């Protein structure tokens, strides 16, 4: 079975994951050998283009993901929804992301 996920987006998501200390194991399903569109928790792809359109990391009740949020998310050009919950230190990063990475005017950000 071939992968749906585009390799550039899989690499961007892997770099995003690598910047975290995920002691709760939320990102354990993000394994390079698997398809990010179908096997990675919190990743949603467009069914026709197979491009990543949504990233959801963490849960409201989890506070155990720490690290630097990688600018690799800027490589997800078709991203329309970003939900990050329980990531310590996220607030300082929001403005930077919106100013530098926002190429999609319909992006919805939740934290």
């Amino acid at each position: 079975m071939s992968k749906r996920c585009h390799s550039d987006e899989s690499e961007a998501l892997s770099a995003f994951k690598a910047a975290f200390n995920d002691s709760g194991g939320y990102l354990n399903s993000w394994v390079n050998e698997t398809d990010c569109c179908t096997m990675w928790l919190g990743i949603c792809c467009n069914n026709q283009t197979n491009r990543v359109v949504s990233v959801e990391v963490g849960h409201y009740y989890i506070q155990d993901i720490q690290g630097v949020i990688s600018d690799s998310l800027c490589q997800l050009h078709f991203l329309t929804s970003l939900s990050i919950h329980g990531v310590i230190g996220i607030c300082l990063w929001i403005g930077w992301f919106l100013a530098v990475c926002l190429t999609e005017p319909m992006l919805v950000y939740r934290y």
Side-chain angles (χ1 to χ4, degrees), residues 69 84 89-100 109-111:
I69 297 181
I84 300 179
I90 186 69
C91 294
L92 296 176
W93 179 80
I94 295 169
W96 174 86
F97 178 78
L98 294 176
V100 175
Y109 174 80
R110 293 182 297 274
Y111 71 98

Side-chain angles (χ1 to χ4, degrees), residues 14-106:
S14 292
F16 174 72
K17 174 187 175 183
F20 285 110
N21 173 10
D22 177 24
S23 61
Y26 183 84
L27 303 175
N28 284 350
S29 66
W30 294 25
V31 177
N32 287 333
E33 293 76 30
T34 61
D35 183 14
C36 74
C37 288
T38 59
M39 302 298 292
W40 293 18
L41 182 64
I43 303 300
C44 181
C45 296
N46 179 291
N47 286 331
Q48 282 138 7
T49 65
N50 295 323
R51 292 293 187 175
V52 174
V53 294
S54 177
V55 175
E56 181 175 346
V57 175
H59 295 287
Y60 290 107
Y61 57 87
I62 294 177
Q63 295 290 322
D64 60 356
I65 300 176
Q66 298 179 21
V68 177
I69 297 181
S70 169
D71 62 357
S72 65
L73 282 186
C74 295
Q75 302 304 312
L76 303 177
H77 299 292
F78 300 91
L79 188 67
T80 57
S81 177
L82 174 62
S83 297
I84 300 179
H85 310 288
V87 179
I88 298 169
I90 186 69
C91 294
L92 296 176
W93 179 80
I94 295 169
W96 174 86
F97 178 78
L98 294 176
V100 175
C101 294
L102 187 59
T103 58
E104 176 58 56
M106 297 301 294

